Amino acid sequence: MGFPAIRHGTQDDSMFAAYDSKLFIAGEWRTGTGERLPVENPATGEIIGHIAAASADEVDAAVSAARAAFRPWAKLAPKERSSALHRLGEVVAARADAMALIMTSEQGKPLNEARGEILKLAEACHFYAEEAERVHGEIVPGATTDHESMVIREPIGVVGAITPWNYPAELIGWKLCGALAAGCTIVIKPAELTPFTALAIAEACVEAKIPAGVVNVVTGKGSIVGQALVEHRDIDKIAFTGSSAVGLHIQRSTPVVRRMSLELGGNCPLVVAPSADLDAAVKGAARRAFRNMGQICIAVNRIYVARPHYEAFLAKLKTAVERLTIGNGLDKPDADLGAMASAEPLNKTREHLADALDKGARLVSGGSAPDGEAFSRGHFFRPTVLADCTHEMKVMTEETFGPLVGVAPFDTLDEAADLANDTPYGLASYVYARDVNEVRALSLRLDYGNVAVNNVDAGVMNAPYGGRKQSGVGYEHGREGMLEYMHFKHIRIRYDEAR
Ligand code: TAP
């Protein structure tokens, strides 16, 4: 199976035919035997293709393939796994245009942004290719000189990866690359909304000559196929990204003791301190509240502004937000915003908006779908800013996962930190401040896995990225993102003679 159907760069009926009902198991494309499920373009409502819901036997076959591939893959020299990941990075980058087209068609984000995400997947391949060669241990001196402790690292085994629809390539990539670099094999269950990007990644694995069984993809509903992976006893680790509710359910329903990483929801604050560069803060807020239509776990959900800057900040944010362009991501590749991925996050956005307006919030910008025929069938909404928000409102306390942000003033840094920490989540937080004391006070007080100061990129490839509290356990990115797929083994040796 190749890419010719989509190389011409337009969407047509045959675009996804090659993937119709396909599962990728043991290096082969199998036609799934389960129910055919439609996949929609969220910008138009058109059905772009179908996937097969993997049966319990097909999930089992994928896990068996990953198990059979595990020892040979783990025994390869790190250099060989590294070369395989570098090859995968090259193939992915070479296919970026075609893969971006697939992603935009099923997820809705503008084509240029989708292409950027595919290139970040390629970057993850190269990063973990390098890390694969740097797996080393420690020699620890014993209590007596005839003993020595050797601490080595070993791959965990077979990984079950379950991923959401908002970043269909990167969120697979961090797991796949970390796991493969460590010497693990993987079975991926992508979101039902965005399965074709996952199948395109599987196809890139074939071209990169990743050995059969090392990477497998099964499609279908989370509650059935994802749950079957969670309940499978021959999986050594579950790597999950998704909502806190499903993460907790997975934690409760796993039938055996095993490693688990859960990258879950967020409710992320941005604090604009008295010393902030207001223009920089506005630029950061407009980007991180609305990029990908706010469907980012680290989206800015709520903004606290030092009272002297409050009205000026709101006026500038309104101007910045109203400049954002919105369109069908296939027709307008360079639009700032595309369609939302489905009706569900759009409905939640409307619900949070109505709740806040009911409780006294002031509408600063947006508040409705954009006008025009182009937007009539897709899941579109204008980026929306609310002022005078309180923690009585859902927008300030729950994850909206849509293009809505609430703003409130504060009087002291303590108050700002208390408000920012007043949430069950702990994924990412943001600070704009130029005074070094404000930077220090806030970044130490904020109870989050990530604090971005004077920037809004809380997750970068070379540093660990993870949440606290209901935002999850475990890390992706960085060296830590590979160590999540490794055991430590302590080998204590007694020598015949003291040293
Ligand atoms: P979920 O509804 O939790 O779905 C995530 C994945 O889990 C999907 O593949 C889903 O399959 C599957 N799933 C659903 N029920 C399952 C079950 N009982 N057993 C096993 N798998 C199951 O999340 P979503 O709506 O796709 O994504 C949005 C959420 O992800 C937000 O809360 C967001 O904050 C979070 N997120 C977190 C991060 C990080 S790094 N912390 C990054 C991105 C997104 P189906 O799609 O087929 O239902």
Side-chain angles (χ1 to χ4, degrees):
M1 190 162 84
F3 268 126
I6 52 172
R7 273 216 180 101
H8 49 72
T10 57
Q11 189 193 6
D12 65 31
D13 289 348
S14 64
M15 187 166 149
F16 296 99
Y19 296 131
D20 194 305
S21 298
K22 290 291 187 281
L23 308 172
F24 184 67
I25 299 175
E28 289 175 356
W29 295 97
R30 297 192 188 177
T31 302
T33 55
E35 184 190 357
R36 285 179 89 229
L37 303 170
V39 180
E40 274 185 17
N41 178 336
T44 61
E46 289 165 297
I47 292 176
I48 56 172
H50 290 81
I51 53 167
S55 66
D57 284 349
E58 287 158 345
V59 170
D60 197 42
V63 175
S64 299
R67 175 62 61 199
F70 170 57
R71 285 287 157 216
W73 179 250
K75 273 166 64 183
L76 286 180
K79 180 119 194 110
E80 290 185 62
R81 285 196 297 273
S82 170
S83 301
L85 279 168
H86 275 308
R87 287 197 304 275
L88 182 59
E90 280 157 21
V91 171
V92 166
R95 293 178 169 205
D97 288 343
M99 290 175 75
L101 200 58
I102 291 172
M103 191 193 300
T104 296
S105 303
E106 63 183 5
Q107 201 274 348
K109 67 182 68 178
L111 205 48
N112 288 359
E113 204 175 313
R115 190 171 189 282
E117 185 182 336
I118 297 293
L119 293 177
K120 281 185 144 187
L121 167 64
E123 185 192 330
C125 294
H126 294 302
F127 181 88
Y128 283 108
E130 298 291 322
E131 286 299 320
E133 291 199 59
R134 298 187 198 121
V135 177
H136 48 70
E138 277 186 319
I139 305 283
V140 183
T144 56
T145 54
D146 58 347
H147 282 87
E148 199 166 62
S149 287
M150 201 160 53
V151 183
I152 63 167
R153 287 160 184 173
E154 294 181 335
I156 285 179
V158 173
V159 176
I162 302 173
T163 55
W165 43 263
N166 60 333
Y167 283 86
E170 276 190 280
L171 293 171
I172 289 176
W174 302 345
K175 295 165 185 59
L176 183 152
C177 298
L180 266 56
C184 294
T185 56
I186 194 164
V187 179
I188 299 161
K189 203 304 280 179
E192 196 187 335
L193 295 179
T194 56
F196 292 128
T197 303
L199 293 171
I201 292 171
E203 188 154 18
C205 289
V206 176
E207 191 176 323
K209 299 196 170 25
I210 305 289
V214 170
V215 176
N216 306 272
V217 179
V218 289
T219 55
K221 288 186 191 299
S223 54
I224 301 170
V225 182
Q227 189 71 37
L229 270 187
V230 171
E231 287 176 7
H232 204 294
R233 290 174 174 267
D234 201 26
I235 287 183
D236 302 299
K237 166 171 175 152
I238 292 289
F240 172 79
T241 300
S243 59
S244 298
V246 173
L248 182 59
H249 169 77
I250 287 176
Q251 198 173 46
R252 284 180 172 148
S253 60
T254 184
V256 288
V257 174
R258 64 178 156 211
R259 288 276 283 275
M260 196 170 277
S261 53
L262 302 169
E263 301 288 343
L264 309 177
N267 176 241
C268 308
L270 183 157
V271 177
V272 182
S275 69
D277 172 340
L278 217 52
D279 290 324
V282 165
K283 195 170 165 209
R287 176 183 157 87
R288 191 46 78 220
F290 299 114
R291 195 168 167 76
N292 201 16
M293 285 300 241
Q295 302 165 124
I296 315 185
C297 51
I298 55 165
V300 169
N301 298 118
R302 48 205 173 100
I303 304 175
Y304 304 99
V305 186
R307 199 175 293 277
H309 296 315
Y310 187 58
E311 289 302 335
F313 178 86
L314 286 169
K316 283 172 184 272
L317 186 60
K318 175 179 165 69
T319 306
V321 165
E322 289 177 358
R323 278 201 200 113
L324 295 172
T325 56
I326 178 164
N328 177 331
L330 287 176
D331 299 343
K332 295 199 182 329
D334 60 350
D336 293 309
L337 307 172
M340 298 182 74
S342 76
E344 200 183 310
L346 175 55
N347 291 340
K348 196 168 177 199
T349 303
R350 289 186 190 278
E351 182 203 322
H352 283 196
L353 172 62
D355 170 77
L357 292 174
D358 241 25
K359 292 173 181 163
R362 171 168 42 122
L363 183 65
V364 174
S365 186
S368 59
D371 294 328
E373 175 60 21
F375 303 111
S376 61
R377 286 183 302 280
H379 307 297
F380 290 97
F381 205 72
R382 286 156 67 211
T384 299
V385 179
L386 294 171
D388 309 342
C389 292
T390 67
H391 281 215
E392 302 304 305
M393 301 170 188
K394 290 180 182 177
V395 65
M396 302 301 269
T397 53
E398 294 180 20
E399 182 182 48
T400 306
F401 225 58
L404 178 66
V405 70
V407 190
F410 70 84
D411 292 303
T412 66
L413 278 197
D414 272 349
E415 183 194 359
D418 287 346
L419 286 167
N421 286 338
D422 178 26
T423 171
Y425 295 103
L427 187 55
S429 55
Y430 304 89
V431 171
Y432 275 84
R434 283 181 291 199
D435 179 322
V436 71
N437 295 310
E438 288 180 352
V439 169
R440 187 165 192 269
L442 284 168
S443 40
L444 295 184
R445 276 284 303 278
L446 289 170
D447 191 11
Y448 289 83
N450 308 273
V451 183
V453 181
N454 296 327
N455 74 89
V456 287
D457 294 310
V460 292
M461 184 46 65
N462 47 2
Y465 173 74
R468 302 176 174 183
K469 303 195 278 183
Q470 299 311 300
S471 292
V473 288
Y475 296 90
E476 294 191 308
H477 284 188
R479 182 167 184 67
E480 293 79 359
M482 179 181 64
L483 296 180
E484 289 279 333
Y485 296 94
M486 306 200 88
H487 291 303
F488 285 2
K489 180 184 270 179
H490 171 206
I491 305 171
R492 184 163 182 263
I493 306 169
R494 192 186 73 77
Y495 301 102
D496 281 346
E497 288 180 17
R499 285 204 298 170

